[in-house]
Amino acid sequence: PWGVQAPHRLGCRRLGRGGLEEALAACNGAIAIAASAPCVHGSVAVALLQQQRPTEAEQAARVALQTDGGIAKTKYVLGMALFGQRKFTLEAAQSLRQSEDEFPNARLAAAAVFERLGEVKEARLELNTYLDTPGAIRQPEGKAWLWRLK
C-alpha cells in the first residue's frame, strides 16, 4: 500500500543512521497504516535487535515471517534474536542457515548454536563454509574455533 511506504522509508532511513528510537516510531506508524506489511515488521525486528531487545525482536520477526516467510533478513533477525536470548534450538540454527547466503556471519552464530546442541559435526561444517566465504572478516576467530572443535 502506498500509504505505508512513506513512514516505512523514513524508518529505514533513520535506522540506517543509527536513530533506532526514531526508526521504531516511524515503523510503528507504518504498521498502524498497514499491519500486514511484512517489510515493516521486519524493519521493526531489526531495530529491536539493534537495541538489544531480542525478545521483542523475536516477536516482530515472527509476525513478519507469518506474512512472508521467504525474507532472509527476517530469518537472520529471528535466529539472532533467539541466540541473544540463549535459546540455542534447532529453530535458531535453521533460521540462521536459511539466511547465510545473504548474511555470511550467520554461519558463525549457527556454528555456536550447533556446538551448544552437541552437534559438533554441524558446527564444523558451518565454520568451514564460513572460512571458505570470500571476504569473511572474522577468519582468525573462525580458524581458532575450528581448531578447538577438532
Side-chain angles (χ1 to χ4, degrees), residues 24-44:
L24 208 48
C27 287
N28 282 328
I31 288 172
I33 295 168
S36 65
C39 60
V40 179
H41 289 284
S43 295
V44 168

Side-chain angles (χ1 to χ4, degrees), residues 81-117:
L82 292 169
F83 184 85
Q85 296 173 74
R86 299 188 164 291
K87 293 181 179 177
F88 305 120
T89 63
L90 193 53
E91 178 188 23
Q94 288 172 340
S95 295
L96 292 162
R97 269 193 167 164
Q98 292 170 350
S99 66
E100 291 171 341
D101 289 343
E102 208 169 313
F103 301 95
N105 284 339
R107 293 184 190 285
L108 295 175
V113 172
F114 281 122
E115 182 180 21
R116 284 173 177 87
L117 290 173

Side-chain angles (χ1 to χ4, degrees), residues 5 7 30 36 46 59 62 88 90-91 106 112 132-133 136 145:
Q5 289 181 358
S36 65
V46 169
Q59 293 167 353
R62 288 188 187 285
F88 305 120
L90 193 53
E91 178 188 23
D132 289 341
T133 303
W145 186 1

